[in-house]
Amino acid sequence: MRLTTKGRFAVTAMIDLASRQAEGPVTLAGIAERQSISLSYLEQLFGKLRRHKLVSSVRGPGGGYRLARDMGRITVADIIVAVDEPLDATQCGGKQNCHDEQRCMTHDLWANLNKRMYEYLDSVTLGALVMREVKADPDMSVLKDLRRRAMISVREVAAA
């Protein structure tokens, strides 16, 4: 499972837009410059975001984009789904034909991860990200420490 640049850039651009929309419509050129994202790539992403009614466009001088609904009612999952970002840890895309057209032994594990990942992303609103209410999970340091210990063990075995 991985979240590609498409999803990351879409979320980043939406945070930029939401944090600046009080000043009026926000241009994609401005977002592109501030976030170091290609303008043509943003145009593709915002076309999809507009079709999913997450943003609306304002034409003419002083035009740009604004959120189509309140930032507290837009979730990260909404954004990622809008740009066609797959959130699927299964090998089969949920079709249960992962291993020689049969369900693999770990299918339920990855399917449950998909569900939890979606539930988490659906619980985080754009408004919470703009207000910086989403904080790092303190348990993440435990994961980093476990990885470090595993790497040390691998090196010790290799050296022996």
Side-chain angles (χ1 to χ4, degrees):
M1 173 212 66
R2 64 192 173 100
L3 184 61
T4 66
T5 54
K6 187 190 300 185
R8 291 178 194 277
F9 284 174
V11 172
T12 299
M14 288 290 282
I15 294 169
D16 186 294
L17 171 64
S19 64
R20 287 178 169 72
Q21 75 168 1
E23 302 158 18
V26 179
T27 66
L28 292 185
I31 295 172
E33 184 178 325
R34 285 187 296 275
Q35 304 304 327
S36 301
I37 302 172
S38 157
L39 179 58
S40 61
Y41 198 59
L42 279 176
E43 288 168 345
Q44 292 173 27
L45 293 176
F46 271 71
K48 292 177 179 189
L49 293 167
R50 190 171 38 79
R51 283 190 291 280
H52 280 82
K53 298 181 178 17
L54 297 180
V55 298
S56 60
S57 59
V58 178
R59 297 189 183 273
Y65 284 88
R66 58 179 59 231
L67 296 178
R69 28 186 226 243
D70 183 81
M71 69 177 112
R73 294 184 46 234
I74 297 173
T75 68
V76 174
D78 293 334
I79 297 166
I80 291 171
V81 167
V83 296
D84 300 325
E85 183 67 16
L87 287 174
D88 189 2
T90 65
Q91 290 180 338
C92 62
K95 297 176 186 166
Q96 300 185 28
N97 62 351
C98 350
H99 185 69
D100 296 328
E101 296 300 315
Q102 299 295 316
R103 182 184 173 113
C104 71
M105 294 187 303
T106 57
H107 182 84
D108 290 337
L109 170 70
W110 305 126
N112 288 336
L113 176 61
N114 288 346
K115 182 180 177 204
R116 295 269 167 84
M117 186 169 45
Y118 181 84
E119 286 171 351
Y120 173 69
L121 295 176
D122 198 43
S123 75
V124 178
T125 67
L126 185 57
L129 292 171
V130 169
M131 303 305 282
R132 299 180 187 253
E133 294 171 352
V134 178
K135 303 292 182 200
D137 187 335
D139 291 339
M140 289 305 293
S141 60
V142 171
L143 292 175
K144 290 177 187 175
D145 191 46
L146 290 172
R147 285 188 196 138
R148 187 178 60 77
R149 278 191 256 152
M151 288 303 296
I152 291 170
S153 296
V154 168
R155 287 186 196 127
E156 289 171 352
V157 169

